[in-house]
Amino acid sequence: MTQKEQLNSNIPHHIAIIMDGNGRWAKKKGLLRAIGHENGAKGVQEAVEACTEIGVKYLTLYAFSTENWNRPKREVDALMKLLVNSLKKEVASLQKNNIKLNAIGNLDALPEKVKNELLYVIDQTKDNTQITVTLALSYGSREELIKTVKDISIKVKNNLISPHLINETVISEHLYTKNLPDVDLLIRTSGEQRISNFLLWQIAYAELYFTKILWPDFRKTDLFEAVLNYQQRERRFGKTSEQLS
Ligand code: FPP
């Protein structure tokens, strides 16, 4: 039986992926880091297709972190160019497959060209319903939380929110991810076992899955493997096993 055939009906609603290892993949082959990123686009395609096939409704991909701005300009430029080209190339396929594109992060920090193309594709695909694919771009969880605290503070100051009514729902509704459910399964490739400032609030109860595969080598079967692993775990949300059964 293939991994896909072994899956049961407990499909994670929201999968988030830290796509890591493009640079090492390229280095191993004696290629430029930018070529690693280009091949990373294949991993993106495979992950989206795999999620669509098994009925995952939300896939969130860490494509560019706030910290990634500190990389050499040449690499940042190559990544931005890759993003624009991928968006241009994929828009028809997103439409055909009923995929809605979404983005989280400080989008105003992106080059005008990237931001415009991104907003265009988001608008074009806004009525699609099969899956929502969210790109985290110029995203950092701490930056998101700072922005959230500022936005809520302004509302408190203007008497729009009463401080004693601030709860988890209020905070969730002020995050970039306000339209997304909490993450069920977080995958990180390349063997690193870190969260690296990704969705800190949203992964509070997520299952974490780490694989040694470098992102450009990530295939559909790797995603099915991660979901199979997820299905073998018991999510207790702080309760006991007996309370769950
Ligand atoms: C991490 O590898 C990857 C990134 C910083 C960028 C992710 C981008 C892509 C997968 C490109 C395609 C994206 C889209 C949305 C078309 P790394 O450079 O940190 O690798 P390393 O840790 O081996 O150096």
Side-chain angles (χ1 to χ4, degrees):
M1 256 206 301
T2 64
Q3 291 119 314
K4 193 177 155 189
E5 286 162 351
Q6 289 174 57
L7 293 174
N8 63 33
S9 60
N10 177 25
I11 299 294
H13 204 51
H14 185 177
I15 296 182
I17 308 183
I18 301 175
M19 311 183 286
D20 198 8
N22 294 350
R24 275 163 284 167
W25 182 93
K27 195 172 176 193
K28 255 176 46 183
K29 294 183 154 40
L31 301 168
L32 289 172
R33 293 178 61 84
I35 308 290
H37 297 313
E38 273 175 34
N39 282 273
K42 174 75 180 156
V44 172
Q45 196 185 344
E46 294 267 333
V48 172
E49 279 179 25
C51 285
T52 308
E53 278 182 30
I54 60 173
V56 173
K57 296 310 281 181
Y58 297 88
L59 171 66
T60 300
L61 302 168
Y62 207 0
F64 195 87
S65 72
T66 44
E67 292 77 20
N68 286 155
W69 291 115
N70 299 321
R71 291 197 175 188
K73 185 177 180 309
R74 197 168 69 150
E75 183 173 345
V76 172
D77 289 348
L79 268 166
M80 292 298 143
K81 198 168 156 195
L82 175 64
L83 263 169
V84 175
N85 291 343
S86 302
L87 287 165
K88 283 198 166 113
K89 199 170 127 224
E90 297 302 332
V91 63
S93 156
L94 294 175
Q95 292 294 49
K96 183 168 157 249
N97 294 294
N98 198 14
I99 298 165
K100 177 172 170 167
L101 190 78
N102 178 39
I104 54 171
N106 179 15
L107 305 185
D108 288 333
L110 296 170
E112 200 71 4
K113 218 170 157 183
V114 179
K115 192 180 161 192
N116 288 345
E117 195 62 38
L118 184 67
L119 296 181
Y120 171 75
V121 179
I122 289 173
D123 185 61
Q124 288 289 303
T125 61
K126 66 178 188 300
D127 297 324
N128 294 345
T129 56
Q130 174 63 43
I131 182 172
T132 298
V133 175
T134 300
L135 298 180
L137 289 167
S138 192
Y139 175 87
S141 204
R142 288 187 170 182
E143 189 269 334
E144 177 183 42
L145 290 169
I146 292 167
K147 184 185 169 305
T148 298
V149 171
K150 283 184 184 163
D151 290 350
I152 295 176
S153 304
I154 291 167
K155 289 189 182 170
V156 167
K157 194 173 161 212
N158 293 330
N159 292 320
L160 296 168
I161 297 179
S162 166
H164 73 272
L165 292 181
I166 295 173
N167 58 17
E168 289 191 13
T169 308
V170 171
I171 291 177
S172 294
E173 283 171 353
H174 285 81
L175 296 171
Y176 289 129
T177 51
K178 56 179 173 290
N179 298 319
L180 305 176
D182 273 357
V183 175
D184 299 302
L185 170 62
L186 174 75
I187 299 172
R188 183 172 190 150
T189 57
S190 91
E192 307 292 349
Q193 303 194 2
R194 287 189 293 276
I195 304 302
S196 301
N197 205 12
F198 191 43
L199 303 173
L200 297 180
W201 173 274
Q202 300 86 340
I203 61 163
Y205 290 101
E207 294 296 328
L208 309 182
Y209 179 83
F210 301 103
T211 167
K212 289 206 164 75
I213 309 253
L214 301 175
W215 182 251
D217 290 329
F218 192 86
R219 292 297 170 268
K220 287 200 268 184
T221 47
D222 298 310
L223 188 124
F224 299 146
E225 187 70 42
V227 175
L228 254 181
N229 187 289
Y230 165 90
Q231 292 187 339
Q232 282 149 18
R233 303 189 194 181
E234 182 186 52
R235 301 180 77 200
R236 292 200 294 274
F237 299 96
K239 296 183 178 170
T240 66
S241 281
E242 291 70 31
Q243 283 175 302
L244 292 175
S245 56

